[in-house]
Amino acid sequence: MVRLTTELIAKSRSHVKRKQGPSSQEYLRILTHLHFSNKNIEDIGDISVCRNLSVLYLYDNQITHICNLDFASSLTHLFLQNNNITHIENLSHLQKLSKLYLGGNKIAVVEGLEKLTELRELHVQNQRLAPGEKLLFDPRTLLSLADSLCVLNVSRTNIDDIRDLRELRKLQHFSAADNKLQQVADLEDVFTHWPELLEMDLRGNPVCKRQKYRELLITVCRSLVVLDGKEINEVTRQFLINWKTFKETNRRPTATM
């Protein structure tokens, strides 16, 4: 088993101390960025001496459990995509964490993030789920991220409903491509709760084939700049909004004397 330890860090070519540099222990204490992607790592050992760590790259490994990171109170970026992780756990001490990358794992439930009130980006796309499974969200995690999360990527996770995500009122970038979303009305309901949404990608969902799908979402998401990779022309948006208002006005019953 390949384990991430201080000994492994010390032996790594990219982290070898310079001849006239600090001692190994001092070097580990001042280290801020740690690059150990694609190293066949299966486990995270005791690296608590690296107490100033702010960015940790561990993507493209064989890690099954998130552990031994309680010491990393300065960590802001954690890259764990393309491992074998099944549960989001042991992250409650990382209260400065801003960006969390967990795509390409085996996670079925987004949970355990209740203490991460500074989290701005969450990437959980491409989960390798069992047949019939879809990505779910713990309501406690959604509530805790409501005032911080700006970027969410849930593409290719078999989701068929995003109404639980209404709580994420600060979202600016939302990616849910290649899923099973079908109802425009359900989407409209959610997007009215996301007033700051700038960019959204729903390509590859059945809902994209619905009549007037794009036009409807443009009128609902007034702040949206890019939809499914295509920029939204402001003149077009205003025309659609005016047309919608006109139709709604003419649909109202005329008052009788």
Side-chain angles (χ1 to χ4, degrees), residues 8-9 23 35 44 48-49 76 90 92 140 168 175 188 217 233 250:
L8 185 64
I9 298 170
S23 67
H35 298 260
I44 304 171
S48 57
V49 68
T76 59
N90 301 320
S92 59
R140 294 168 296 182
L168 304 175
S175 299
E188 288 183 283
L217 292 192
N233 181 284
N250 283 273

Side-chain angles (χ1 to χ4, degrees), residues 10 23 37 41 53 74 81 88 102 109 116 130 139 144 157-158 174 180-181 188 191 197 200 208 214 216 228-229 249:
S23 67
S37 58
I41 292 171
L53 206 58
S74 297
Q81 61 268 43
I88 303 175
L102 289 167
V109 181
L116 306 188
S144 68
T157 53
N158 297 330
F174 179 61
K180 299 177 181 179
L181 302 173
E188 288 183 283
F191 299 150
L197 192 64
M200 177 165 57
C208 299
R214 185 175 176 85
L216 285 169
D228 297 343
T249 301

